[in-house]
Amino acid sequence: MTPVKNWLRDNLKGDPILWGIVLTFGLISIAVVYSATGTLAYKKMGGNTEYYLFKHSSLIFIGLAFVWLAHKINYRYYAKLSLLALIFSVPLLIYTYLKGSNINEASRWLTIPVINQTFQPSDLAKLALISYLASILSKRQMNIESKQTLIPLFLWSGLICGLIAMSNISTGLLLFLTCLLLMFIGRIPMKSIMIMIAVGALFGTIALALGQRAQTAISRIENFMDKDQTVFQLEQSYIAIATGGVLGKGPGNSDQRNVLPHPYSDFIYAIIIEEYGMLGGAVILFLYLAFLYRGMMAVTNSLGAFGGLLSAGISFSLVIQAMVNMGVAVGLGPITGLPLPLLSMGGTSLIFTGISIGIILSVSRSEHEAKLAAAPTANKPANVLTHA
């Protein structure tokens, strides 16, 4: 075995296919964001196109570093931290709503002192809620229909999703959908899931009434339903997709990046299709489906319920957001403003995405090591007698 293979075997543990998918996404993201930020660099950096290339590449490598760090930690520790993280998230989300940086009429960001970087507390809250649900569902399998199990699930899910929806309706809604899927996998009865939907509707109504984005959400839905209404972002996205053809215009040859709002985040999928064609778009879709498949394998391979539920919840969360983003770009849904996970340009969101992926890899690593440790015992004949 070569030194490189030895190093990879010793340091990148867990599902090797998932590692390959993540590294592939990282390379694609650097190439596409570099192309999509050309106009932004010209306007803000005086034509220094390498600025965003180096900035985004640095963030990608930092995100990968957090993947590596998180995958080295035994995933069972996240169960112990989940409730504390949830409790911490509530005042953080409220403070962000009241005092956070207001961008596009929404207070979703807090500025971290000293480093002067913004982050979205909703990223922490999402990860904490998924970990908490997985922990409760795994511990209470024998009493899955009891009030002690259901009430905490309902209240925490409704509260966190509602607080997020006050400034980011689409993120709150997708997180709530992830919670429902996790409960279904965790064998929560359908009648209880229907109650959960009612609880979500209640918190969602309160969030719309008190939040900042109700009118924006209503107008976006109306624009989507009205086929005679032309939305500038979607029109430019359709042009990018239509002119991309089967094989695309080639890397760096996008025209719509000059007119399409946020071509490096919300509508990066349209730029991918314009430059790499429908074939490139299909490859991206396949990679997300492969990511979901590898994440869901933990459900069947896991030696314990918590690891499988945790991996499934995080995988659902990332891939559902990706499907919604791609669906918006091709006109299958109203505009949401959600970035494309693992590909869009971002800041601290890449760190939380890296932690999330690291947790999935930690599950696969820990379960693989547990099976290897149990193998000699399992293979030993049951009737062998040992003599002192």
Side-chain angles (χ1 to χ4, degrees):
M1 209 178 260
T2 65
V4 174
K5 288 185 178 180
N6 283 329
W7 186 90
L8 292 174
R9 182 195 61 189
D10 295 337
N11 291 277
L12 303 185
K13 298 189 177 181
D15 187 343
I17 296 177
L18 192 56
W19 269 111
I21 293 171
V22 172
L23 293 173
T24 301
F25 269 127
L27 293 174
I28 294 173
S29 178
I30 291 172
V32 178
V33 168
Y34 176 50
S35 174
T37 52
T39 302
L40 183 67
Y42 179 79
K43 291 179 179 179
K44 291 192 173 183
M45 296 297 151
N48 181 13
T49 56
E50 285 74 23
Y51 173 81
Y52 288 105
L53 170 64
F54 290 120
K55 180 180 179 181
H56 184 65
S57 299
S58 299
L59 289 169
I60 289 291
F61 284 115
I62 291 172
L64 290 173
F66 274 92
V67 173
W68 183 82
L69 288 172
H71 107 289
K72 299 291 284 186
I73 300 172
N74 191 308
Y75 71 89
R76 294 176 181 85
Y77 287 114
Y78 297 108
K80 302 175 183 178
L81 296 173
S82 60
L83 183 56
L84 290 175
L86 269 184
I87 294 172
F88 179 67
S89 295
V90 172
L92 202 59
L93 288 169
I94 295 173
Y95 181 80
T96 304
Y97 172 72
L98 296 174
K99 301 289 185 180
S101 301
N102 192 294
I103 303 174
N104 294 329
E105 300 179 353
S107 301
R108 302 173 186 171
W109 293 266
L110 283 181
T111 302
I112 304 174
V114 183
I115 63 174
N116 198 33
Q117 286 288 324
T118 59
F119 87 104
Q120 295 191 57
S122 59
D123 291 329
L124 172 63
K126 285 192 297 183
L127 190 54
L129 181 58
I130 291 171
S131 299
Y132 176 76
L133 293 184
S135 176
I136 292 296
L137 288 170
S138 63
K139 291 176 182 176
R140 307 278 176 82
Q141 281 293 301
M142 301 305 295
N143 299 295
I144 202 68
E145 297 186 51
S146 67
K147 293 181 179 179
Q148 290 77 12
T149 300
L150 297 177
I151 290 177
L153 294 180
F154 293 167
L155 291 180
W156 276 115
S157 298
L159 178 61
I160 295 297
C161 293
L163 287 173
I164 292 174
M166 290 177 70
S167 58
N168 194 336
I169 295 173
S170 52
T171 297
L173 184 60
L174 290 185
L175 179 59
F176 185 73
L177 178 59
T178 301
C179 293
L180 291 177
L181 289 170
L182 202 52
M183 290 179 189
F184 179 77
I185 296 173
R187 301 194 307 114
I188 294 291
M190 189 56 64
K191 62 179 181 180
S192 297
I193 291 179
M194 296 305 295
I195 296 173
M196 176 62 190
I197 293 173
V199 171
L202 174 62
F203 279 95
T205 302
I206 295 172
L208 287 174
L210 301 178
Q212 303 165 326
R213 305 289 287 173
Q215 198 56 48
T216 301
I218 293 171
S219 65
R220 285 177 173 177
I221 293 173
E222 289 176 346
N223 290 336
F224 174 73
M225 300 299 293
D226 185 0
K227 300 305 178 183
D228 296 326
Q229 182 74 25
T230 301
V231 180
F232 180 76
Q233 296 101 310
L234 289 179
E235 185 179 39
Q236 300 306 316
S237 178
Y238 298 159
I239 293 172
I241 292 170
T243 57
V246 177
L247 298 178
K249 298 177 180 178
N253 293 324
S254 169
D255 296 312
Q256 294 309 113
R257 65 183 174 181
N258 300 318
V259 290
L260 183 63
H262 307 295
Y264 42 82
S265 58
D266 300 358
F267 287 94
I268 196 170
Y269 190 61
I271 302 300
I272 290 172
I273 295 179
E274 184 183 10
E275 294 190 349
Y276 299 91
M278 296 301 295
L279 181 62
V283 169
I284 297 300
L285 177 60
F286 171 78
L287 286 173
Y288 279 116
L289 292 177
F291 181 95
L292 178 62
Y293 174 73
R294 302 305 297 188
M296 290 299 294
M297 281 188 66
V299 178
T300 54
N301 295 337
S302 177
L303 299 177
F306 176 62
L309 290 169
L310 182 60
S311 179
I314 294 174
S315 300
F316 272 130
S317 177
L318 292 172
V319 176
I320 289 174
Q321 180 176 330
M323 294 300 168
V324 170
N325 176 283
M326 292 187 289
V328 169
V330 300
L332 296 179
I335 296 173
T336 61
L338 292 171
L340 189 58
L342 301 170
L343 287 178
S344 291
M345 185 173 74
T348 52
S349 62
L350 287 172
I351 293 175
F352 283 100
T353 301
I355 293 171
S356 300
I357 295 170
I359 292 173
I360 298 174
L361 288 165
S362 173
V363 173
S364 65
R365 177 185 68 83
S366 299
E367 303 301 355
H368 179 68
E369 290 175 353
K371 288 178 181 179
L372 287 179
T377 304
N379 294 331
K380 187 184 292 183
N383 59 349
V384 172
L385 297 178
T386 57
H387 300 276

